[in-house]
Structures are given as C-alpha cells and as structure tokens.
Amino acid sequence: MPRNQKDFTYDAALLLKDAGAITADAAAQVAAVNKILDLGLARVDARVIIDVSAIDVASTDELYNLKFQLSNSSTFASGVIGQGTIALGAAAGLIGESAASVVGRYELGVCNEVNGTLYRYARMYTDVAGTTPSINYTGFLVQQPG
C-alpha cells in the first residue's frame, strides 16, 4: 500500500518541544525548560516536524500559530525574527480556510538564513487565541534531504 508520509531520522538533541498542553502564549519547552537550539555558524536547511496529539476547536474561535523563530542571542533576549509559521485552529479563525485543523503530522520548511543574515539560534513559540485554547504537540527538527 502506498504511503504519503516521509520517514525522518529522529535526533533527541533536535527536539524543539515535548508533549504538554499549551493554553497561553509561550516559548516551547523540553523537560519544563525553554528549548533553544544552537544551529552553529553555517546555513541549515531543515524541516520542523510537528505532531499534534490534541487540539481544541470547540468554541470555533481558537487559533494557534506555531512559530519557528531565530535569533543571534543565545537567550532570545533580542533580535528575534519569525522564519516560518503554521496556523492551526477553528475554521472561522483561519483566513481562507473552511475546515478546522485536526490532530496529525504537519511539516514546516525552515532555514536559518534570512535576507542574507545567518541566525545561529532557533526555537519554537506558540501563540494562542480564542475562548478555550488548548493544543498538545511535539516538534523536532530534521535535516532537509538533498
């Protein structure tokens, strides 16, 4: 039987967020600590693999922006930029979409070079909105094939 999902090599060192419900805006955590990856001093082309295990869309106004952010500050104290976002949630909150998001796997292509500037550090950030927002997901980085 044909499959539509790609296989990736999982590396625990590249885990961006472990399981746990998010109900307010927050930087992603692993073992209850904000997770920041040091990508080094070279360009990295990668994918963020996001596995959503629970998502609340019951009030029909929930919205979840799962953001891959970059910075040259190892603490993300300054110079934070978004490099890619996956918007999930209730259909009413998703512009141009007519179906609510569901549990499953999502992929986001990312790169740590933006407009000629190389960013060394990366993290995930979850921005939530709505009446009863709650999302549970894990996220990890994998090298882009090629």
Side-chain angles (χ1 to χ4, degrees):
M1 172 185 264
R3 290 178 11 148
N4 290 327
Q5 288 191 337
K6 296 178 183 176
D7 292 322
F8 299 101
T9 301
Y10 174 78
D11 182 344
L14 299 178
L15 183 63
L16 290 161
K17 183 191 175 302
D18 59 11
I22 303 293
T23 59
D25 298 353
Q29 295 187 334
V30 173
V33 176
N34 289 355
K35 179 64 180 227
I36 298 172
L37 292 180
D38 184 343
L39 301 176
L41 299 174
R43 179 183 168 115
V44 174
D45 293 298
R47 290 182 115 28
V48 178
I49 307 301
I50 297 168
D51 290 317
V52 177
S53 59
I55 184 168
D56 179 355
V57 293
S59 299
T60 71
D61 64 354
E62 292 84 6
L63 181 61
Y64 310 93
N65 286 307
L66 312 182
K67 301 177 180 186
F68 183 78
Q69 295 181 324
L70 300 167
S71 178
N72 276 321
S73 165
S74 63
T75 61
F76 273 72
S78 63
V80 178
I81 67 161
Q83 202 284 323
T85 300
I86 291 182
L88 303 174
L94 298 171
I95 297 171
E97 297 187 25
S98 61
S101 301
V102 297
V103 300
R105 175 163 281 182
Y106 298 84
E107 298 181 25
L108 176 64
V110 297
C111 176
N112 68 328
E113 183 179 332
V114 178
N115 197 27
T117 300
L118 189 72
Y119 292 87
R120 181 170 181 165
Y121 302 99
R123 73 175 182 187
M124 288 295 294
Y125 189 90
T126 310
D127 179 27
V128 304
T131 305
T132 60
S134 180
I135 186 169
N136 193 336
Y137 71 95
T138 60
F140 60 95
L141 200 64
V142 295
Q143 184 175 355
Q144 183 75 5

